[in-house]
Structures are given as structure tokens and as C-alpha cells.
Amino acid sequence: MTSIPSNRRSGGRQNIQHHEPEKTDSFSSPSHTPKASGYGSRSVKSVEVVETFIARIKDINPALNCVVDQRFEDALKEARAVDKLIESGTKSEEELARETPFLGVPFTTKDSIQVK
């Protein structure tokens, strides 16, 4: 738990207690490149990573309220398609890395950006 100083209109400072949910997975690291490179080598399934990120969002979103459009079912469908493409072997690992370096890497975006 960390203490975050907060300025109030009255000019005083108040410490707000902030509890960050515990990380329980190995995918929520700052570096995205290792995740992306793992997909082409088939060592990591896109569905597994997306499920982990969905669980993390569900864990922290009540406190942050930052994910307003939860398109979890669509994300899982897209992840299954990515896994199917990789398993099909229609493209080599080199082609996938060159053409779609972040294929299967989950991300969020501002809700003011159209995604469909």
C-alpha cells in the first residue's frame, strides 16, 4: 500500500491510501516485445495472455474505472484467430515478426477512438 499526497481546494494536503492489487501473472510486465516474440514461436498462446489481461482489468478496474467499454468476448475471439493463424503455419515466424510485430498483444485505448 502506498500513500499518495493529494492537494485539496482548501489548500491542505491529505494522504490518500492507495492499494494496488497484487500481480499474479507474468504477462503484466512493462516490456511488450518479449510477449510479441513469444507468439510466433508458439511458446505463448494469445488466448492465455488475453485471459490474463482480462482478469487483471476486472481486478483493478473497480478502483480505477478506466475501462468503460469491456469488449472481452471480441478480444477472446480475436485471440483465438491469432492462435489459429500461428498454428496454421501459413506464415513463418520471421514473416509474422516482420509484418505484425505486435500480433496478439492486448492493449487498451481511449474510449474516444472508434474500434469497430
Side-chain angles (χ1 to χ4, degrees), residues 49-107:
V49 176
V50 170
E51 286 172 342
T52 302
F53 272 73
I54 290 170
R56 183 75 174 149
I57 288 168
K58 287 180 177 181
D59 193 32
I60 64 172
N61 199 49
L64 300 178
N65 194 29
C66 58
V67 178
V68 294
D69 185 15
Q70 298 178 358
R71 51 181 304 281
F72 298 148
E73 290 306 314
D74 288 338
L76 287 167
K77 183 193 294 185
E78 292 164 3
R80 284 189 285 275
V82 167
D83 289 340
K84 187 175 180 178
L85 171 66
I86 292 169
E87 289 170 3
S88 74
T90 57
K91 293 191 177 195
S92 69
E93 290 181 31
E94 294 79 21
E95 288 174 306
L96 289 171
R98 185 180 62 249
E99 296 172 11
T100 52
F102 291 100
L103 179 67
V105 177
F107 72 96

Side-chain angles (χ1 to χ4, degrees), residues 20-28 51-53 55-56 59:
E20 182 177 328
E22 182 180 331
K23 289 183 182 181
T24 57
D25 60 79
S26 61
F27 300 118
S28 319
E51 286 172 342
T52 302
F53 272 73
R56 183 75 174 149
D59 193 32

